[in-house]
Amino acid sequence: CCSTFQGLSMFVWYNVGPAIWFYSKLQLARMIQSLLDGDGLTCGGQVRWAWAPDAKNMEYKLEPRLDLRSSDDVAAWAAMRQCIHGGNFGPTIHRKIQFYGVIAMTVFISLSLVQAVGGYINPDDEVELSTRIFSIVRMFACISPVMAQTILAYTINRYTGYAEEALYRAQRSIKGRAIDFRRNGCDEEAEEMNDAHDMLGAVGAEIRASEDAGPMRVLWLVATPEVVTLIGSFVTALLALELRDVAGSLPFA
Protein backbone atom coordinates (compact mmCIF):
# COMPACT_ATOMS: atom_id res chain seq x y z
CA CYS A 1 0.00 0.00 0.00
CA CYS A 2 1.07 3.62 -0.46
CA SER A 3 2.18 5.81 2.37
CA THR A 4 0.46 9.10 3.08
CA PHE A 5 3.31 11.01 1.45
CA GLN A 6 3.20 8.80 -1.64
CA GLY A 7 -0.56 9.20 -1.93
CA LEU A 8 -0.30 12.97 -1.59
CA SER A 9 2.46 13.10 -4.21
CA MET A 10 0.36 11.06 -6.65
CA PHE A 11 -2.63 13.34 -6.03
CA VAL A 12 -0.58 16.47 -6.74
CA TRP A 13 1.08 14.98 -9.83
CA TYR A 14 -1.98 13.45 -11.48
CA ASN A 15 -4.70 15.84 -10.33
CA VAL A 16 -3.34 19.24 -9.32
CA GLY A 17 -0.59 19.23 -11.97
CA PRO A 18 -3.05 19.19 -14.90
CA ALA A 19 -4.92 22.15 -13.40
CA ILE A 20 -1.65 24.09 -13.29
CA TRP A 21 -0.98 23.10 -16.91
CA PHE A 22 -4.40 24.43 -17.93
CA TYR A 23 -3.65 27.68 -16.14
CA SER A 24 -0.36 28.05 -18.03
CA LYS A 25 -2.32 27.52 -21.27
CA LEU A 26 -4.71 30.28 -20.23
CA GLN A 27 -1.77 32.62 -19.70
CA LEU A 28 -0.50 31.84 -23.20
CA ALA A 29 -3.94 32.52 -24.67
CA ARG A 30 -4.07 35.88 -22.90
CA MET A 31 -0.61 36.84 -24.12
CA ILE A 32 -1.34 35.98 -27.75
CA GLN A 33 -4.64 37.86 -27.53
CA SER A 34 -2.93 40.92 -26.06
CA LEU A 35 -0.99 41.27 -29.30
CA LEU A 36 -4.29 41.89 -31.08
CA ASP A 37 -6.09 44.04 -28.53
CA GLY A 38 -3.62 46.93 -28.67
CA ASP A 39 -4.27 50.24 -26.96
CA GLY A 40 -7.29 51.34 -28.97
CA LEU A 41 -5.16 52.68 -31.83
CA THR A 42 -4.32 49.41 -33.57
CA CYS A 43 -7.20 49.42 -36.02
CA GLY A 44 -6.60 53.09 -36.79
CA GLY A 45 -3.06 52.41 -37.90
CA GLN A 46 -1.34 54.50 -35.22
CA VAL A 47 0.03 51.59 -33.22
CA ARG A 48 3.60 51.83 -31.88
CA TRP A 49 5.87 49.06 -30.69
CA ALA A 50 5.90 48.82 -26.91
CA TRP A 51 9.64 49.38 -26.69
CA ALA A 52 9.58 52.46 -28.90
CA PRO A 53 11.05 55.45 -27.01
CA ASP A 54 8.26 57.72 -28.21
CA ALA A 55 5.40 55.46 -27.10
CA LYS A 56 2.94 57.71 -25.29
CA ASN A 57 1.05 55.28 -23.07
CA MET A 58 3.33 53.90 -20.34
CA GLU A 59 0.85 51.12 -19.60
CA TYR A 60 1.79 49.36 -22.83
CA LYS A 61 5.54 49.69 -22.53
CA LEU A 62 6.04 46.03 -21.61
CA GLU A 63 4.16 44.32 -24.44
CA PRO A 64 4.37 44.78 -28.22
CA ARG A 65 1.25 45.28 -30.29
CA LEU A 66 0.86 44.15 -33.86
CA ASP A 67 0.41 46.56 -36.73
CA LEU A 68 -2.69 45.02 -38.26
CA ARG A 69 -2.17 47.12 -41.38
CA SER A 70 0.66 44.73 -42.30
CA SER A 71 -0.31 41.41 -43.85
CA ASP A 72 3.06 40.00 -42.76
CA ASP A 73 2.38 40.83 -39.11
CA VAL A 74 -1.06 39.24 -39.29
CA ALA A 75 0.33 36.09 -40.88
CA ALA A 76 3.04 35.88 -38.19
CA TRP A 77 0.43 36.22 -35.44
CA ALA A 78 -1.68 33.47 -37.03
CA ALA A 79 1.33 31.14 -37.10
CA MET A 80 2.03 31.76 -33.40
CA ARG A 81 -1.58 31.17 -32.46
CA GLN A 82 -1.74 27.96 -34.45
CA CYS A 83 1.15 26.56 -32.40
CA ILE A 84 -0.44 27.22 -28.98
CA HIS A 85 -4.17 26.97 -29.71
CA GLY A 86 -6.16 24.23 -27.98
CA GLY A 87 -4.79 20.74 -28.44
CA ASN A 88 -2.05 21.92 -30.81
CA PHE A 89 0.16 22.87 -27.85
CA GLY A 90 1.34 19.77 -25.99
CA PRO A 91 -1.16 17.35 -27.57
CA THR A 92 0.30 14.35 -25.76
CA ILE A 93 -0.02 16.07 -22.39
CA HIS A 94 -3.53 17.16 -23.28
CA ARG A 95 -4.55 13.56 -23.98
CA LYS A 96 -2.91 12.28 -20.80
CA ILE A 97 -4.80 14.85 -18.76
CA GLN A 98 -8.08 13.49 -20.14
CA PHE A 99 -7.21 10.05 -18.74
CA TYR A 100 -6.21 11.56 -15.40
CA GLY A 101 -9.48 13.48 -15.25
CA VAL A 102 -11.55 10.37 -16.03
CA ILE A 103 -9.71 8.47 -13.28
CA ALA A 104 -10.35 11.26 -10.77
CA MET A 105 -14.04 11.41 -11.71
CA THR A 106 -14.27 7.61 -11.40
CA VAL A 107 -12.74 7.73 -7.94
CA PHE A 108 -15.13 10.52 -6.97
CA ILE A 109 -18.17 8.54 -8.13
CA SER A 110 -16.85 5.35 -6.47
CA LEU A 111 -16.49 7.11 -3.12
CA SER A 112 -20.07 8.30 -3.37
CA LEU A 113 -21.32 4.84 -4.38
CA VAL A 114 -19.50 3.16 -1.52
CA GLN A 115 -21.27 5.44 0.95
CA ALA A 116 -24.65 4.93 -0.71
CA VAL A 117 -24.35 1.14 -1.05
CA GLY A 118 -23.04 0.79 2.49
CA GLY A 119 -25.94 2.80 3.86
CA TYR A 120 -28.41 0.68 1.87
CA ILE A 121 -27.00 -2.71 2.89
CA ASN A 122 -26.52 -1.86 6.55
CA PRO A 123 -28.89 0.99 7.31
CA ASP A 124 -28.74 0.36 11.06
CA ASP A 125 -24.95 0.69 11.33
CA GLU A 126 -23.83 3.92 12.89
CA VAL A 127 -20.94 5.60 11.14
CA GLU A 128 -18.89 8.04 13.14
CA LEU A 129 -19.32 11.68 12.21
CA SER A 130 -15.57 12.14 11.78
CA THR A 131 -15.54 9.31 9.22
CA ARG A 132 -18.33 10.91 7.23
CA ILE A 133 -16.63 14.32 7.26
CA PHE A 134 -13.32 12.78 6.19
CA SER A 135 -15.09 11.03 3.31
CA ILE A 136 -16.59 14.32 2.08
CA VAL A 137 -13.26 16.12 2.37
CA ARG A 138 -11.62 13.33 0.39
CA MET A 139 -14.30 13.55 -2.32
CA PHE A 140 -13.96 17.33 -2.52
CA ALA A 141 -10.16 17.14 -2.74
CA CYS A 142 -10.45 14.56 -5.53
CA ILE A 143 -12.90 16.48 -7.70
CA SER A 144 -11.95 20.13 -7.11
CA PRO A 145 -8.93 20.06 -9.48
CA VAL A 146 -11.16 18.53 -12.19
CA MET A 147 -13.66 21.36 -11.73
CA ALA A 148 -10.79 23.85 -11.97
CA GLN A 149 -9.66 22.21 -15.23
CA THR A 150 -13.21 22.42 -16.59
CA ILE A 151 -13.52 26.15 -15.90
CA LEU A 152 -10.03 26.90 -17.22
CA ALA A 153 -10.60 24.90 -20.41
CA TYR A 154 -13.86 26.74 -21.05
CA THR A 155 -12.15 30.09 -20.48
CA ILE A 156 -9.37 29.18 -22.94
CA ASN A 157 -11.92 28.21 -25.60
CA ARG A 158 -13.60 31.60 -25.25
CA TYR A 159 -10.46 33.30 -26.53
CA THR A 160 -11.27 31.92 -29.98
CA GLY A 161 -14.25 34.27 -30.11
CA TYR A 162 -12.22 37.16 -28.70
CA ALA A 163 -9.57 36.76 -31.42
CA GLU A 164 -12.16 36.45 -34.17
CA GLU A 165 -13.92 39.61 -33.00
CA ALA A 166 -10.67 41.60 -32.90
CA LEU A 167 -9.68 40.46 -36.39
CA TYR A 168 -13.02 41.33 -37.96
CA ARG A 169 -13.07 44.69 -36.22
CA ALA A 170 -9.62 45.42 -37.64
CA GLN A 171 -10.71 44.14 -41.05
CA ARG A 172 -13.62 46.57 -41.15
CA SER A 173 -11.39 49.47 -40.13
CA ILE A 174 -8.67 48.60 -42.64
CA LYS A 175 -11.19 48.31 -45.45
CA GLY A 176 -12.33 51.82 -44.65
CA ARG A 177 -8.74 53.07 -44.84
CA ALA A 178 -8.29 51.33 -48.20
CA ILE A 179 -11.35 53.12 -49.55
CA ASP A 180 -10.02 56.47 -48.30
CA PHE A 181 -6.63 55.84 -49.92
CA ARG A 182 -8.27 54.97 -53.24
CA ARG A 183 -10.40 58.11 -53.17
CA ASN A 184 -7.30 60.20 -52.60
CA GLY A 185 -5.44 58.57 -55.48
CA CYS A 186 -3.02 56.59 -53.24
CA ASP A 187 -3.33 53.32 -55.12
CA GLU A 188 -0.20 51.73 -53.64
CA GLU A 189 -1.30 52.32 -50.06
CA ALA A 190 -4.82 51.15 -50.93
CA GLU A 191 -3.39 47.90 -52.31
CA GLU A 192 -1.45 47.31 -49.09
CA MET A 193 -4.61 47.84 -47.05
CA ASN A 194 -6.51 45.42 -49.28
CA ASP A 195 -3.79 42.79 -48.80
CA ALA A 196 -4.06 43.20 -45.03
CA HIS A 197 -7.87 43.04 -45.30
CA ASP A 198 -7.70 39.73 -47.19
CA MET A 199 -5.19 38.28 -44.74
CA LEU A 200 -7.36 39.22 -41.75
CA GLY A 201 -10.34 37.52 -43.37
CA ALA A 202 -8.32 34.36 -44.05
CA VAL A 203 -7.05 34.21 -40.47
CA GLY A 204 -10.58 34.74 -39.14
CA ALA A 205 -11.83 31.82 -41.24
CA GLU A 206 -8.97 29.66 -39.96
CA ILE A 207 -9.88 30.50 -36.37
CA ARG A 208 -13.48 29.48 -36.98
CA ALA A 209 -12.30 26.12 -38.33
CA SER A 210 -9.85 25.58 -35.45
CA GLU A 211 -12.66 26.09 -32.95
CA ASP A 212 -14.10 22.71 -34.00
CA ALA A 213 -10.86 20.97 -34.97
CA GLY A 214 -8.76 21.46 -31.85
CA PRO A 215 -10.64 22.82 -28.84
CA MET A 216 -9.66 22.36 -25.22
CA ARG A 217 -11.30 19.30 -23.68
CA VAL A 218 -11.98 18.02 -20.20
CA LEU A 219 -12.97 14.39 -19.56
CA TRP A 220 -12.76 14.02 -23.37
CA LEU A 221 -15.63 16.51 -23.74
CA VAL A 222 -15.30 19.88 -25.45
CA ALA A 223 -15.36 22.56 -22.75
CA THR A 224 -18.59 24.31 -23.72
CA PRO A 225 -21.09 26.06 -21.40
CA GLU A 226 -23.33 22.97 -21.57
CA VAL A 227 -20.51 20.63 -20.51
CA VAL A 228 -19.40 22.95 -17.71
CA THR A 229 -22.97 23.12 -16.41
CA LEU A 230 -23.44 19.35 -16.69
CA ILE A 231 -20.26 18.47 -14.81
CA GLY A 232 -20.86 21.15 -12.19
CA SER A 233 -24.46 20.04 -11.57
CA PHE A 234 -23.47 16.37 -11.33
CA VAL A 235 -20.65 17.03 -8.85
CA THR A 236 -22.75 19.42 -6.79
CA ALA A 237 -25.61 16.90 -6.56
CA LEU A 238 -23.36 14.12 -5.25
CA LEU A 239 -21.71 16.40 -2.72
CA ALA A 240 -25.11 17.70 -1.60
CA LEU A 241 -26.30 14.14 -0.94
CA GLU A 242 -23.26 13.43 1.20
CA LEU A 243 -23.66 16.71 3.09
CA ARG A 244 -27.30 15.88 3.76
CA ASP A 245 -26.32 12.60 5.39
CA VAL A 246 -23.72 14.39 7.50
CA ALA A 247 -26.22 17.04 8.55
CA GLY A 248 -28.55 14.30 9.76
CA SER A 249 -25.78 12.90 11.92
CA LEU A 250 -25.04 16.15 13.74
CA PRO A 251 -26.14 16.22 17.40
CA PHE A 252 -28.09 19.46 16.90
CA ALA A 253 -29.74 18.43 13.60
Side-chain angles (χ1 to χ4, degrees):
C1 61
C2 295
S3 64
T4 302
F5 176 77
Q6 290 173 330
L8 181 61
S9 300
M10 292 175 62
F11 170 75
V12 172
W13 180 260
Y14 292 107
N15 215 4
V16 178
I20 297 175
W21 186 83
F22 271 99
Y23 180 75
S24 67
K25 283 275 297 181
L26 177 60
Q27 294 298 101
L28 283 176
R30 286 174 175 170
M31 290 174 62
I32 202 73
Q33 180 66 27
S34 68
L35 294 174
L36 281 185
D37 291 340
D39 56 1
L41 302 176
T42 304
C43 297
Q46 302 176 31
V47 70
R48 301 164 186 260
W49 289 107
W51 52 75
D54 57 346
K56 295 181 180 179
N57 195 337
M58 295 298 294
E59 181 182 354
Y60 300 101
K61 283 282 188 178
L62 299 179
E63 296 182 11
R65 297 299 194 273
L66 293 178
D67 186 353
L68 298 182
R69 300 167 301 172
S70 170
S71 58
D72 293 336
D73 284 0
V74 176
W77 179 89
M80 289 189 294
R81 183 188 179 278
Q82 184 180 11
C83 292
I84 71 169
H85 171 70
N88 296 335
F89 180 81
T92 303
I93 298 176
H94 193 202
R95 287 192 290 268
K96 285 183 179 180
I97 288 176
Q98 308 310 308
F99 285 110
Y100 300 157
V102 170
I103 292 172
M105 180 62 77
T106 303
V107 172
F108 173 77
I109 296 174
S110 300
L111 292 173
S112 180
L113 287 176
V114 166
Q115 297 294 331
V117 173
Y120 177 79
I121 295 176
N122 297 311
D124 297 330
D125 289 354
E126 292 292 335
V127 180
E128 295 183 1
L129 180 61
S130 60
T131 302
R132 289 180 177 271
I133 294 177
F134 176 75
S135 176
I136 293 177
V137 171
R138 182 172 53 185
M139 292 175 61
F140 182 79
C142 179
I143 202 61
S144 56
V146 177
M147 292 304 302
Q149 296 173 35
T150 303
I151 296 173
L152 289 170
Y154 168 66
T155 305
I156 293 170
N157 284 339
R158 290 191 63 184
Y159 275 87
T160 297
Y162 297 155
E164 192 175 358
E165 179 186 11
L167 289 172
Y168 286 145
R169 186 168 57 244
Q171 189 181 30
R172 171 184 52 80
S173 177
I174 288 175
K175 189 61 176 179
R177 292 180 61 85
I179 295 173
D180 290 338
F181 280 132
R182 188 178 297 110
R183 287 174 179 173
N184 295 327
C186 304
D187 294 336
E188 184 177 352
E189 289 80 358
E191 187 65 25
E192 292 179 359
M193 293 298 100
N194 283 327
D195 290 342
H197 175 272
D198 295 341
M199 180 60 70
L200 288 167
V203 174
E206 180 186 5
I207 289 176
R208 284 200 306 274
S210 66
E211 185 177 4
D212 298 326
M216 294 299 294
R217 298 176 180 270
V218 61
L219 303 177
W220 295 106
L221 301 173
V222 178
T224 60
E226 296 80 8
V227 170
V228 174
T229 303
L230 176 64
I231 296 176
S233 300
F234 178 75
V235 170
T236 303
L238 291 183
L239 289 176
L241 288 174
E242 295 297 326
L243 289 172
R244 185 188 64 178
D245 295 337
V246 170
S249 303
L250 295 175
F252 53 81

